[in-house]
Each structure stands twice: as C-alpha cells, then as structure tokens.
Amino acid sequence: LPSSASAPSAGFPQPAMNKIDWANRVLVAGLGKQYPPDDPTKQEPNECPNNLLAAFPLISWLAETEDGRDFLSKTFLLCDPLDDDGSSLLTWAQAIWFDLAEGSFPYPSSYIPFSLLHKIVSLPPWPTQDACWKSSSLHKDWGVQFSGNRSDVRYKVAYGDSGLALDVDWDNVTSKSPTSLSSIMNSPQVVGLLSSVRDAVSIWYNITKDVKCYDVSQAAPNLEMSHTATMESRRLRETSDPGKICQDAMHEMGSWSPLCCNDELNLPMTFARGLGADFFWPPSHPRSVKTYKDIVEGLTPAPCYDPDGIYGFSKEPYDPWSTMLETQYGSGENMDGHSNIIFSNGLLDPWSAGGVYAEHPWNNPPYTGPVVQKITDTDVIALIIEHGGHHTDLMYSSDSDPASVTKAREIQHDYISKWIKSFYEKTEGTNV
C-alpha cells in the first residue's frame, strides 16, 4: 500500500479516545480562512466562525415564541412554518459543514454531492470559503460581540444594534435584555446575520439552483453518520433481514452509513460538537463528557461499558476483539512493522483529525511543522497538505491546484519511484 490518502486510520476508539470533537476543530480552521484559501495576499477580517456561533443560540431563543418562529420561517425562506423549538432549523443549518469541508477542491466538483445525494451536481471551488465569502455575507461584521468563557460554553453574546444580549450556559440560553422582540426582528444586523446563515447553507441546499423554499426536514446526510451507524449496528444484526435494511439505508442516506454499520467502523473524532472548541451550539453531550469513554458509559450500563465489544472500547479485563480494527488497519501508534507508506492528509479535510502522523497537526493549530513527517526509519511518512480536501492528491491534476497539492504529488512520485527502483535492484537476477 504505497499511499493512504485521507484515511482516518488513527480515528478508531483507542487512539481517538480524547479527540471526540477534533473533526469539527478542522472545520473551524477552514471557516477562518480567506477566499481562496491558498491566496496569501488576502488578509481581510473574517467573522464567519463567530457569526455562526452567535446565530445558533439566537435561533433557539427566537423559536421560543410564535412571533419569533414566524420571523425565522420568513428569514430562512422555509416551505412550512417552523413549529418546534428551533432544533430542526439548527440541525438543518449545521449539517452541511462537514460535507463542504470534505469537498475542499480548487475547482467545481461533483464528488461529494454525488457520493451523498446520488445527483450529478457540483459544489463550487473551495465550498467552505465560498459559503462565507461569495454565497453569503457571513464573513462580515454583523455587530456580534462575545464575553465570558467560550471554551467552557459559558458566555454572553450581544447582537449589535438590536440591543439583545443572550446568556449561554452549555445548552441553555436566556436573556435579560429589555429590548422588545419587534425591535430585534427589525434590526438590520440581526436580519443580516440570519440571512447570511441562510445564504451560506444554500450552497448545499440549493445546489441545483432551482429551490424556491427550504424544507428543514431534509438535512444534509453526513451529520454524525458514523455515530448513527454504530448505534444502529446491534439492531441491524438482530433483524431478520439486515441486508434489506442496509439497502434501504443506502437509498435514504447514501452509502457511507451502511458501510460504517456493516464494518463496525467507529470513528469517535466525529462524535461530539459544541463542546467549546468549534462553532456549533448546543453541545451534543453533557458538560461532563470529555472522552469517548464518557460517551460509552452513557450508552451501556456501568460498569459494563461495552458488553458485546461492538463499540471498540475495551472490556475489563482487556478484550482484544474490541480493538480489531486498530489491529487490522493500524492505529498510527505503532508503525514499526510497516514500511513504504505515505499517509497523506489535507488540512481542510475533517477526516485529517483521524490521520496518522508523527506529530498531530491538530494538537496545537495552526500547524507550522514540516510537510513530510518521518514516522519510521522504513519510509512510513505523514504528508501534510495545507490546502488539501478529501484526498485531493488522488484527483486529476489541474491548473487550479494549490502549490501544496502539487508539492505533495511530487513527493509521492519521488518516494514511490525510489521504492520501485529498490525493489528491482533487490530482485535483479531472480525470477520475481
């Protein structure tokens, strides 16, 4: 296996124990970049991550009243009036960002949309940054101001000229502002903020360019797919016809969830969001959840964390079958028995959170280390592609390719050529 591109081989439960929200940390870094992200001359102010973090509790607070729900329905151009606590709108508005980041290519591409939607439609070049800079005004300053402790999800958000300030404490949002709802809904900055969120997500939900209104029940299919698939694995095995259920799931959700289900592909670094290191709200888990072990303890009766060994978390005493995938594919923690592998990862791709490295680029972002990291003395290396999406390096070359992608392909060519030459030198004069 000479090259392993964008493979989250270190994303299994044991190596990713403390990385349950790292995929979303990658998304934050991508949102914070300019358009295009590989242009070093562009250094304009960018409020995209802050505006998203501010918009989500605002949606929840507005949805508490009928007038607020009506305002949200009109602002987001919903086909049907919003009739819940805003959770459906939040899910809809948050579901696209993983998919956009995967598709971080410098040219229009149907790769991600076709994989998930089974439609031959294309995302634009650099879709994450396009959503913030071209499709919307989400990068602009809409008067949002934060105070408090964002990393602990205990903060206050003030919304510009509206006079509104919201207090956020984990999954609760309250307001002591005397401002009337009418003045809030007539605030140009509030309207601009929420309209920008709508326009940003339209890059996915109106990918066909013919959508007149939005159905919030049709959220993008990739949200927590692998987590959902894992939770469904027991049900699929117990049913009388698991094959039919997986086939039905492919039609409804695309192919990824059934694949995760069938292979017990459990990737915890996608399991949490909103824990204080990204732009999502509300948090996906209670404040006490910090690790994958915490999640598993909440799924199965303590102290038997994983009675069937299906979640990849070791039983006590240690059960080697619970780490079968790490054993089969490698976890990135011990590569001594391997040779001649290039683990390439694009830093715009959320799957890079589960990549194999000598030094993990998401330990202390932004990454400023070498492009090539030596993992072993037997030519197992990590190849860091600053402006790479989901295995961009395996796509056809393009005049639009950023320098980091071109350089990565040159490095891969040199290494693989060396390995081939070495093989023939060693086997010269034999029958191999």
Side-chain angles (χ1 to χ4, degrees), residues 2-38:
S3 183
S4 177
S6 300
S9 300
F12 295 125
Q14 297 299 320
M17 184 64 62
N18 301 312
K19 303 172 184 175
I20 55 176
D21 65 345
W22 279 33
N24 291 320
R25 299 185 185 198
V26 181
L27 304 188
V28 175
L31 284 171
K33 293 186 178 297
Q34 306 285 311
Y35 182 92
D38 61 334

Side-chain angles (χ1 to χ4, degrees), residues 52 55-56 58-59 62 68-80 82 89-90 92-94 190-191 193-202 205 211-216:
L52 283 171
F56 297 142
L58 176 60
I59 289 171
L62 287 169
R69 290 190 294 273
D70 182 60
F71 171 64
L72 290 170
S73 299
K74 292 177 180 177
T75 302
F76 281 90
L77 304 178
L78 303 188
C79 301
D80 299 307
L82 191 66
L89 181 56
L90 286 172
W92 179 81
Q94 294 178 2
V190 167
V191 173
L193 172 65
L194 295 178
S195 298
S196 294
V197 175
R198 176 202 65 211
D199 294 341
V201 300
S202 73
Y205 293 117
V211 173
K212 304 301 181 185
C213 62
Y214 296 109
D215 179 359
V216 295

Side-chain angles (χ1 to χ4, degrees), residues 329-348:
Y329 296 110
S331 65
E333 295 182 325
N334 186 356
M335 291 281 126
D336 291 341
H338 301 74
S339 62
N340 297 0
I341 303 176
I342 302 170
F343 288 100
S344 63
N345 280 283
L347 295 188
L348 297 178

Side-chain angles (χ1 to χ4, degrees), residues 33 98 107 137 152 162 187-188 202 280 297 336 383 396 417:
K33 293 186 178 297
F98 193 106
Y107 36 73
S137 297
D152 192 40
S162 72
S187 160
S202 73
F280 291 106
E297 286 178 345
D336 291 341
L383 179 57
Y396 289 112
S417 297

Side-chain angles (χ1 to χ4, degrees), residues 164-381:
L164 174 66
L166 296 180
D167 293 300
V168 175
D169 187 355
W170 206 249
D171 57 352
N172 294 313
V173 56
T174 57
S175 175
K176 298 177 182 178
S177 301
T179 310
S180 69
L181 186 60
S182 175
S183 63
I184 293 169
M185 293 188 297
N186 289 317
S187 160
Q189 290 186 315
V190 167
V191 173
L193 172 65
L194 295 178
S195 298
S196 294
V197 175
R198 176 202 65 211
D199 294 341
V201 300
S202 73
I203 196 174
W204 182 272
Y205 293 117
N206 192 17
I207 195 171
T208 56
K209 308 299 183 185
D210 59 0
V211 173
K212 304 301 181 185
C213 62
Y214 296 109
D215 179 359
V216 295
S217 68
Q218 301 298 313
N222 207 24
L223 184 67
E224 291 189 332
M225 285 201 274
S226 56
H227 192 192
T228 302
T230 302
M231 301 304 103
E232 288 290 290
S233 61
R234 186 194 303 257
R235 182 179 70 85
L236 287 169
R237 283 199 300 273
E238 291 175 349
T239 185
S240 59
D241 191 357
K244 184 178 186 305
I245 288 183
C246 276
Q247 288 175 5
D248 291 343
M250 282 194 181
H251 289 293
E252 294 175 10
M253 299 182 290
S255 58
W256 181 240
S257 286
L259 285 172
C260 288
C261 160
N262 287 341
D263 294 341
E264 299 287 8
L265 196 57
N266 195 7
L267 300 167
M269 80 282 187
T270 67
F271 283 7
R273 66 182 190 275
L275 305 188
D278 55 48
F279 58 90
F280 291 106
W281 186 90
S284 57
H285 298 285
R287 187 174 255 125
S288 60
V289 170
K290 305 294 183 184
T291 69
Y292 179 62
K293 179 180 178 181
D294 298 333
I295 296 176
V296 174
E297 286 178 345
L299 294 174
T300 55
C304 191
Y305 301 145
D306 190 3
D308 298 322
I310 64 172
Y311 295 119
F313 188 82
S314 304
K315 291 190 293 185
E316 299 292 344
Y318 174 70
D319 171 18
W321 284 105
S322 67
T323 57
M324 180 189 70
L325 289 178
E326 285 98 315
T327 302
Q328 183 172 356
Y329 296 110
S331 65
E333 295 182 325
N334 186 356
M335 291 281 126
D336 291 341
H338 301 74
S339 62
N340 297 0
I341 303 176
I342 302 170
F343 288 100
S344 63
N345 280 283
L347 295 188
L348 297 178
D349 178 20
W351 292 114
S352 68
V356 178
Y357 309 97
E359 175 193 349
H360 205 298
W362 298 111
N363 271 332
N364 187 26
Y367 178 73
T368 57
V371 172
V372 176
Q373 296 180 359
K374 177 182 175 182
I375 298 176
T376 73
D377 292 329
T378 54
D379 273 358
V380 176
I381 67 167

Side-chain angles (χ1 to χ4, degrees), residues 29 59 140 149 180 196 310 384 400 418:
I59 289 171
K140 291 185 176 181
N149 190 341
S180 69
S196 294
I310 64 172
I384 313 298
S400 302
K418 181 180 72 169

